[in-house]
Amino acid sequence: MQNFVLLAEVGRAEKPVLIKRGPSASVEELLMAAEYVAKEGNHQIVLCERGITTFERSTRYTLDLGSVAVLKKETHLPVIVDPSHAAGRRDLVLPLARAAVAVGADGIIVESHPRPEEALCDGPQQIPSGEFGEFAAEVHSFVALMGKQVG
């Protein structure tokens, strides 16, 4: 989100773009990155909260759910959450995904791998592929509990 030449180029493309908030970036900086893309003509932008750097060490990053609520108020753009990168550990991905639904996220993205212990990177945060269906069902049931539609 800080490579302005790339953002401008993506802005000229006719492809959807996902802009993930950097670990040290403010909400304003994320919105300005989206504006950089939009000013070149591309309005197919999705914003992603994936955690910020704090003093906390029990997770890789601190998932800033307050930023999701702010972004939903400040922009018309869809806002999704990446609990896998924020947590850095698979046992926290489902609770953080539920929290993302509760705060109004438009979607979540998670990492999955057939054998996370053999993954070349980020294995500890990945949901085993064989468990993904159950994970998705849990999230869908929480979406329904919140009175929302599954898209």
Side-chain angles (χ1 to χ4, degrees), residues 1-142:
M1 66 171 268
Q2 295 173 331
N3 184 333
F4 302 114
V5 173
L6 178 60
L7 290 172
E9 190 64 33
V10 168
R12 289 186 286 276
E14 295 182 16
K15 302 283 183 189
V17 59
L18 174 66
I19 303 176
K20 284 188 160 191
R21 182 178 176 192
S24 298
S26 69
V27 170
E28 180 181 23
E29 289 168 325
L30 177 60
L31 288 172
M32 291 294 98
E35 183 67 24
Y36 219 86
V37 172
K39 79 177 181 68
E40 295 295 329
N42 188 345
H43 299 282
Q44 300 179 75
I45 302 167
V46 177
L47 303 175
C48 182
E49 170 57 40
R50 42 91 73 198
I52 57 172
T53 302
T54 65
F55 294 106
E56 184 55 52
R57 296 292 166 237
S58 62
T59 55
R60 176 185 294 142
Y61 297 115
T62 297
L63 187 58
D64 184 5
L65 294 172
S67 74
V68 176
V70 169
L71 289 165
K72 295 297 294 173
K73 294 280 186 194
E74 299 289 324
T75 183
H76 67 284
L77 297 172
V79 180
I80 67 172
V81 172
D82 179 351
S84 297
H85 274 95
R89 34 187 283 211
R90 84 177 51 89
D91 64 320
L92 297 179
V93 175
L94 180 58
L96 292 177
R98 287 182 183 133
V101 169
V103 78
D106 295 303
I108 60 168
I109 57 173
V110 297
E111 290 191 35
S112 183
H113 191 282
R115 291 176 302 286
E117 64 282 354
E118 296 176 18
L120 297 179
C121 70
D122 295 336
Q125 71 196 32
Q126 296 182 22
I127 297 167
S129 300
E131 297 173 20
F132 184 78
E134 182 180 337
F135 172 86
E138 286 282 334
V139 172
H140 283 196
S141 67
F142 194 74

